[in-house]
Amino acid sequence: MLIACGDALIDFVPTRSVEGREAVMPAVGGSCLNVAIGMARLGAPTGFVGGISTDLFGRMIADHAAASNVDLDLATRSDHQTTLAFVRIVEGESHYAFYDAETATRSWTYRHGSIPFDTVEAVHVGSTTLVNDQGAAETKALIADARPSSTISFDPNCRPNLVKDKPAYLGRMAEFAGRADLIKMSDVDFAYLFGEEPYQQRASTLLRQGTSLIVITRGSNGAIAWHAQAGQIEVQAPKVEVVDTIGAGDSFQAALLFALYKQGHIARPRLQDIGADELRRALSFAANCAGLTCTRPGADPPWSHEINWSW
């Protein structure tokens, strides 16, 4: 099984009313839930770990996850409210306003022994759950239990408007990066975390620390990856008619993990020895899945029947 641990929320995505005014519509989201949904829709056995409310929006989240074949047995249901995120698209980038005080996601706690990690091949973490002290601490405890047997995937998916103490946040992200086997981040995330440092320089540092694979996505400019054995690999983004970019990075992450799983390279030793050709195919597949997600509103990753690949 593959699992994603973290945020589950409702995005209010931009649209237009029949009168032409700005409006919003609710759509299930949350970076880590999106990753779980993306992996499950492509055909991997997938579970989600995190807090989901029993309120109206929480039921929307649970129904959406179940319809996408995500196992919610490891999720924690509570009567805390659902996190809400309002989205505006500015110059092609999604900007968020979060309402996340005392919510089901923020109140989630990890219970030692609650997850059979010997049956879990990879664990994905990241995003808004890691901004607050409790979410970060609970996720670290989960990783400590998972890492002996499961590959750790990490996407910081930074939300600067939620960060109150940037130096502390940067230190926290460095801690999670130090525990990860696979790190994916957008070029925007990279700039927030590392400023103008060259990609290659930071990738070399992370590889020396023990990370097996580092990937930076660059929107329409495609993605570039570094691997200790396979070297540096670049793939192009497909040319698509973009509706919005919400969930594109999550779709890329989900598809990359799925592709590695299908290739038999998701386990840590197998990820470490993946060849350049196999890695290029996995990255290209991920880029195509992200591109398809951009052609429709909200975080709506593709199903297996919508996307073609060759292994």
Side-chain angles (χ1 to χ4, degrees):
M1 174 180 274
L2 311 180
I3 66 174
C5 170
D7 49 344
L9 52 81
I10 296 294
D11 285 322
F12 284 84
V13 299
T15 185
R16 290 280 176 180
S17 69
V18 292
E19 296 86 7
R21 298 177 181 175
E22 285 192 19
V24 293
M25 65 177 183
V28 174
S31 177
C32 293
L33 181 67
N34 291 341
V35 171
I37 286 172
M39 293 188 296
R41 286 185 176 185
L42 291 171
T46 304
F48 174 76
V49 177
I52 299 177
S53 179
T54 55
D55 67 10
L56 170 66
F57 292 128
R59 293 194 295 274
M60 283 178 58
I61 291 169
D63 290 346
H64 182 69
S68 296
N69 302 319
V70 175
D71 186 341
L72 295 180
D73 286 349
L74 300 175
T76 302
R77 303 300 299 272
S78 73
D79 59 5
H80 295 285
Q81 292 183 337
T82 298
T83 300
L84 306 180
F86 290 79
V87 188
R88 290 200 78 192
I89 309 299
V90 180
E91 296 181 352
E93 290 289 335
S94 301
H95 294 253
Y96 294 83
F98 289 92
Y99 295 81
D100 192 30
E102 299 181 4
T103 60
T105 292
R106 287 285 294 270
S107 303
W108 169 77
T109 58
Y110 169 64
R111 302 187 311 278
H112 290 282
S114 61
I115 300 173
F117 286 113
D118 57 334
T119 67
V120 175
E121 293 172 86
V123 176
H124 174 73
V125 300
S127 196
T128 60
T129 306
L130 307 185
V131 173
N132 65 83
D133 292 340
Q134 178 177 327
E138 299 296 334
T139 306
K140 285 179 188 177
L142 180 146
I143 290 173
D145 285 354
R147 204 169 192 286
S149 57
S150 305
T151 295
I152 306 300
S153 163
F154 170 54
D155 177 3
N157 196 30
C158 304
R159 294 288 179 255
N161 59 323
L162 294 180
V163 175
K164 306 302 181 185
D165 182 344
K166 185 173 180 180
Y169 177 77
L170 295 181
R172 179 177 292 165
M173 294 302 98
E175 284 187 66
F176 280 100
R179 293 170 166 85
D181 301 292
L182 187 162
I183 300 170
K184 192 278 292 180
M185 68 186 91
S186 71
D187 51 358
V188 175
D189 290 338
F190 187 96
Y192 183 72
L193 295 173
F194 306 113
E196 296 182 0
E197 180 178 357
Y199 293 156
Q200 174 69 58
Q201 181 174 308
R202 176 53 51 175
S204 296
T205 298
L206 293 169
L207 290 173
R208 285 195 302 270
Q209 291 176 353
T211 302
S212 295
L213 177 62
I214 299 97
V215 182
I216 297 174
T217 57
R218 303 171 299 166
S220 61
N221 292 318
I224 186 167
W226 292 265
H227 185 274
Q229 300 298 322
Q232 180 177 318
I233 294 175
E234 186 171 353
V235 297
Q236 299 301 310
K239 296 188 182 301
V240 298
E241 191 71 32
V242 175
V243 173
D244 71 41
T245 60
I246 298 170
D250 302 327
S251 184
F252 185 103
Q253 183 84 50
L256 176 58
L257 290 169
F258 171 80
L260 294 170
Y261 164 80
K262 288 289 287 185
Q263 290 174 331
H265 280 286
I266 194 70
R268 185 174 297 120
R270 296 287 288 137
L271 179 61
Q272 290 170 345
D273 69 11
I274 191 171
D277 289 343
E278 288 175 301
L279 182 54
R280 185 181 302 278
R281 286 196 295 272
L283 291 165
S284 295
F285 176 68
N288 286 332
C289 285
L292 181 54
T293 302
C294 290
T295 66
R296 46 207 193 192
D300 189 8
W303 294 81
S304 59
H305 66 268
E306 296 180 291
I307 193 87
N308 294 318
W309 68 86
S310 58
W311 301 108

